Amino acid sequence: MAQDQLTIRHWGEASYEDVWHAMQDFTNQRGPETQDELWLVEHPPVFTQGQAGKPEHILNLGDIPLVKSDRGGQVTYHGPGQLIVYLLLDVRRKKLGVRHLVTSMEVSIVELLARYDIQAYAKPDAPGVYVKDAVAIEHKIASLGLRVRRGCSFHGLALNVNMDLTPFLRINPCGYAGLPMTMTAPLGGPQTIGEAQSQLIPKLAEQLGYPHLYYTTEKLKL
């Protein structure tokens, strides 16, 4: 049955706007029997501002473009070395609420990091995944943002793996001034996108209730 199967689609590196519009098209065109998908992608450097985004959280764009998106949340940064997982799910058919989607993403990331003895946690008032450094200063390691339309979800999660974090200094990440960001590689966690996604995707699929996974390298037409 379609509701038990999940296609895992690898995009490689692709522009945020191209993949965003492909997500919209996929959601608009899907039918009752369309199989759900996870899209794995890396984006070239880009700032994205969610529907709740406020311009005062953008400090200095510099040479990095800004895209105003239809996802939830505030402003964040995407770039090479960051694992993006987009959730293209029929949540109505699957009987999943937004809170369940958020919790599933957070738990999957926390469990992934725990395999590397990294103590990570989620916060009920600020979606995402966080860790504390040696002096107990909180850092964000993963950001979340979703949109549900016609009973179907798109957008998803961004896990910082091994990337240039300095562009985050040009914004108030997720609307929090001075929020420090971190990534898995220097903490002894996954060193590459491939290492991170090979472990995260089965965990996420299990949390979401998909027993059957189908991996494909075929890309949708942009």
Side-chain angles (χ1 to χ4, degrees):
M1 295 178 61
Q3 66 181 18
D4 293 327
Q5 297 176 350
L6 187 63
T7 293
I8 314 301
R9 193 179 298 276
H10 291 258
W11 281 84
E13 185 170 307
S15 83
Y16 181 86
E17 288 189 279
D18 284 345
V19 179
W20 171 31
H21 294 314
M23 285 193 289
Q24 291 177 319
D25 291 342
F26 180 88
T27 302
N28 290 337
Q29 296 169 10
R30 65 180 301 164
E33 299 303 317
T34 301
Q35 190 166 305
D36 292 335
E37 301 194 359
L38 297 184
W39 292 2
L40 312 182
V41 64
E42 287 180 80
H43 292 309
V46 63
F47 293 112
T48 66
Q49 183 174 320
Q51 291 182 312
K54 297 180 180 179
E56 59 262 34
H57 293 309
I58 300 169
L59 308 179
N60 175 26
L61 292 178
D63 58 350
I64 299 176
L66 171 70
V67 176
K68 294 184 178 180
S69 175
D70 60 352
R71 64 165 172 79
Q74 292 277 347
V75 63
T76 193
Y77 168 73
H78 300 308
Q82 182 188 62
L83 172 60
I84 307 290
V85 183
Y86 290 133
L87 282 63
L88 287 297
L89 313 178
D90 188 332
V91 293
R92 182 181 297 154
R93 179 180 67 199
K94 195 69 177 172
K95 296 181 173 60
L96 299 175
V98 172
R99 182 66 254 178
H100 185 96
L101 295 183
V102 170
T103 299
S104 295
M105 290 187 284
E106 292 172 335
V107 168
S108 300
I109 296 169
V110 169
E111 289 184 350
L112 164 65
L113 296 178
R115 294 190 61 179
Y116 295 84
D117 295 322
I118 300 171
Q119 294 186 342
Y121 56 93
K123 299 167 62 174
D125 58 337
V129 177
Y130 302 81
V131 298
K132 289 184 179 178
D133 64 15
V135 292
I137 295 176
E138 185 172 81
H139 291 63
K140 193 167 191 177
I141 199 167
S143 303
L144 312 180
L146 285 170
R147 174 74 188 275
V148 175
R149 189 172 72 202
R150 300 175 60 240
C152 299
S153 68
F154 54 108
H155 296 292
L157 68 87
L159 173 64
N160 303 334
V161 177
N162 196 348
M163 62 186 299
D164 178 8
L165 295 174
T166 57
F168 283 107
L169 300 175
R170 304 186 191 183
I171 59 173
N172 293 329
C174 306
Y176 292 93
L179 174 64
M181 305 294 289
T182 191
M183 53 189 176
T184 64
L187 299 179
Q191 301 296 300
T192 66
I193 294 293
E195 182 183 357
Q197 68 188 17
S198 66
Q199 299 179 68
L200 179 62
I201 297 312
K203 290 180 179 296
L204 181 56
E206 181 181 8
Q207 287 290 326
L208 294 169
Y210 294 89
H212 306 296
L213 305 185
Y214 171 69
Y215 289 83
T216 179
T217 56
E218 179 185 0
K219 297 179 182 178
L220 296 177
K221 292 182 179 180
L222 296 175

